[in-house]
Amino acid sequence: MSNTDVVAEVRAGTKRYPGVTALSDVDFAVRRGEVRALLGKNGAGKSTLIKVLSGAEHLDSGEALVRGKPLAGLGTRDVAALGVATVYQELSLVPEMTVAENLFLGAWPRSRGALDLRRMRAEAKEAMARIGVDIDVDSPVGSLGSAGQQLVEIARAVAQRPTLLILDEPTSSLAAAEVRQVIDVVRTVAEQGVAVIYVSHRMDEIRQVADTATVVRDGRIVETLPVRTASTHEIVAMMLGTAPEAVAARTRRPSAEPPVLSARGLVSDRLNGLDIDVRPGEILGIAGVLGSGRTETLRALVGLDRPASGEIRLRGEAVRPGAFAAMLARGLGMTPENRRREGIVPLMGVDENIVISDLRRVSRSGVLDRRAIRQAARALIDRLAIKTARPGTPIGTLSGGNQQKAVLARWLHAGSDVLLLDEPTRGVDVEAKRQIYDQMRLLADDGRAVVFVSSEVEELADVCDRIVVLRGGRAVAELSGDEIELNRVMALAIAEE
């Protein structure tokens, strides 16, 4: 393609924040009909680059252009008017409103000053047809599954008739079977001449959707290359700056200890007579497709939800279901699936987010001790390699991987000996994933019980000592040792009843 096909570009772009150079002399361009993957560790500069191209941030030096027009001084509305639409990882839909109402939220079609419902529905149907998706535009968004909601979010962006569509981790909350729907939509949009920038940590997904990939490291562009001719090993080496270490083969160690936590016959909206045992000294994986009851299992065990029936025992003693505070006090800790909405307090410091799980440890005579808070937080920041300018930095400004490590640090501070981890590596780069795996292994080696829920079966097979497969709210299989094999776990998870 010629230069006239360039939709958006950055020339010698540099962007600095206090103590950090987020982008350094970056040259980047994307063309009509191209799907460009943007790859790099958390904190590499990917988010800053897409914020610059969407008008949410401005360069300190160099220039950014869309359709040849400089973005200096323009806000997000101005840049959107140039044809840039951005879909972020966190959905911005209103569950109670219909699909049509969400598609035109804040810009509803009007006729003679009144809302034109007929036109809105017609344009909504046209927007859904444009991306090749058959979803009833009169359905409340809250009634759709995660994949349906993500497709509505993309359709809303496409309804703006963009020339550049930016997708930031659009499939991070989806099961593997649902990812295909999003990939098909992205390819359809690209075939219509729209340039697409696609951010994801899933290499198998990148190979299916992208034409080219730009690797970013430490705020610099390392290389832009065709996806189909580059090996995963080569790309990961570019992201890390060194060749990735081979995953060492390890002996799986299912625990022979009595269960520290167990459940029998749990029944709720998503659980259908669930039985499960959690033993100290091992990593227990929970596998299953979206809707199988994975998250609901953890929420029931930790006391966030109260099952309609069934029994839960902690260290052999029956406990009252739904007693969240009591379970935390007795040594349970849980990292939630949605860390931004449920796992962190964005405006509070990293240190405050870590120690909030047990303020008694950092108090003197009932009064919080700032020095004790800093010391306790600093020890865990160093242990988990959390990248932050200082302990008091607002946690909402950290990358997703560093936020996740801080949420894990919270329960280490509390001394929890049963850790329930719900999608702890979602949206996390390869380096942060390995650090989280290592911490899980250390915790298990220390005699603690670790329960690991993930929609990525590959990492469960790599990390866990034992795996329980859920289907329809029940445990349908338990695998350990040499029984844990990727294809077998996947087959059990998706098998029909």
Side-chain angles (χ1 to χ4, degrees), residues 268-433:
S268 69
D269 289 344
R270 285 288 183 88
L271 301 181
N272 184 25
L274 176 75
D275 296 337
I276 194 168
D277 290 320
V278 180
R279 298 188 176 93
E282 70 174 0
I283 301 174
L284 170 65
I286 297 184
V289 300
L290 205 67
S292 62
R294 301 171 313 193
T295 293
E296 290 77 11
T297 296
L298 297 195
R299 290 179 62 88
L301 291 175
V302 80
L304 280 169
D305 293 339
R306 184 170 185 172
S309 61
E311 180 186 61
I312 297 175
R313 288 185 171 272
L314 179 61
R315 301 181 186 90
E317 297 181 9
V319 297
R320 180 169 60 88
F324 178 58
M327 296 300 271
L328 296 187
R330 297 183 65 177
L332 270 71
M334 177 176 171
T335 66
E337 180 179 14
N338 190 321
R339 62 174 169 265
R340 178 164 289 276
R341 189 173 65 224
E342 301 174 342
I344 64 172
V345 185
L347 297 181
M348 289 175 60
V350 178
D351 51 1
E352 296 166 315
N353 271 272
I354 289 174
V355 304
I356 199 171
S357 57
D358 191 347
L359 295 176
R360 294 170 302 176
R361 292 173 179 250
V362 290
S363 299
R364 300 292 180 269
S365 302
V367 178
L368 290 175
D369 184 330
R370 293 301 309 178
R371 182 179 179 184
I373 290 174
R374 286 194 300 271
Q375 289 178 339
R378 173 52 68 187
L380 288 165
I381 287 170
D382 292 343
R383 173 176 171 179
L384 275 74
I386 300 171
K387 295 179 181 177
T388 177
R390 62 185 192 281
T393 298
I395 195 171
T397 66
L398 270 59
S399 67
N402 286 301
Q403 289 178 10
Q404 187 64 70
K405 288 188 284 185
V407 174
L408 179 58
R410 174 183 301 160
W411 300 113
L412 300 186
H413 169 75
S416 303
D417 57 9
V418 181
L419 278 297
L420 310 180
L421 312 181
D422 195 355
E423 299 281 6
T425 60
R426 173 175 290 168
V428 168
D429 66 58
V430 289
E431 182 180 52
K433 278 188 178 184

Side-chain angles (χ1 to χ4, degrees), residues 159-364:
Q160 303 170 29
R161 301 283 178 175
T163 53
L164 172 63
L165 177 62
I166 301 173
L167 301 175
D168 185 9
E169 295 279 359
T171 61
S172 64
S173 62
L174 305 184
E178 299 169 313
V179 171
R180 185 71 245 176
Q181 291 178 271
V182 175
I183 289 173
D184 290 344
V185 166
V186 173
R187 295 306 315 178
T188 298
V189 170
E191 288 167 4
Q192 296 167 5
V194 178
V196 180
I197 296 176
Y198 194 97
V199 180
S200 177
H201 292 296
R202 296 175 170 178
M203 280 306 305
D204 57 339
E205 179 181 321
I206 291 297
R207 292 192 186 283
Q208 296 177 62
V209 74
D211 304 303
T212 52
T214 293
V215 180
V216 186
R217 187 178 72 243
D218 299 331
R220 296 179 179 274
I221 301 295
V222 178
E223 190 170 344
T224 297
L225 67 169
V227 170
R228 290 171 180 80
T229 59
S231 70
T232 299
H233 187 277
E234 178 185 4
I235 291 174
V236 172
M238 291 180 189
M239 291 166 61
L240 298 179
T242 57
E245 296 179 5
V247 177
R250 65 175 181 81
T251 303
R252 301 185 192 277
R253 290 171 286 183
S255 174
E257 296 290 324
V260 64
L261 180 66
S262 62
R264 293 291 180 271
L266 296 187
V267 175
S268 69
D269 289 344
R270 285 288 183 88
L271 301 181
N272 184 25
L274 176 75
D275 296 337
I276 194 168
D277 290 320
V278 180
R279 298 188 176 93
E282 70 174 0
I283 301 174
L284 170 65
I286 297 184
V289 300
L290 205 67
S292 62
R294 301 171 313 193
T295 293
E296 290 77 11
T297 296
L298 297 195
R299 290 179 62 88
L301 291 175
V302 80
L304 280 169
D305 293 339
R306 184 170 185 172
S309 61
E311 180 186 61
I312 297 175
R313 288 185 171 272
L314 179 61
R315 301 181 186 90
E317 297 181 9
V319 297
R320 180 169 60 88
F324 178 58
M327 296 300 271
L328 296 187
R330 297 183 65 177
L332 270 71
M334 177 176 171
T335 66
E337 180 179 14
N338 190 321
R339 62 174 169 265
R340 178 164 289 276
R341 189 173 65 224
E342 301 174 342
I344 64 172
V345 185
L347 297 181
M348 289 175 60
V350 178
D351 51 1
E352 296 166 315
N353 271 272
I354 289 174
V355 304
I356 199 171
S357 57
D358 191 347
L359 295 176
R360 294 170 302 176
R361 292 173 179 250
V362 290
S363 299
R364 300 292 180 269

Side-chain angles (χ1 to χ4, degrees), residues 93-105 108-109 120-129 131 133-145 147-157 159:
L93 304 173
V94 181
E96 295 78 15
M97 288 185 171
T98 67
V99 170
E101 289 168 336
N102 271 278
L103 287 181
F104 297 98
L105 192 63
W108 291 318
M120 182 178 70
R121 293 181 70 253
E123 291 186 3
K125 289 180 179 179
E126 180 185 349
M128 299 308 293
I131 65 172
V133 172
D134 183 18
I135 292 179
D136 183 0
V137 299
D138 295 319
S139 298
V141 161
S143 68
L144 305 178
Q149 292 185 25
Q150 184 67 73
L151 293 173
V152 171
E153 190 86 48
I154 294 173
R156 183 166 70 180

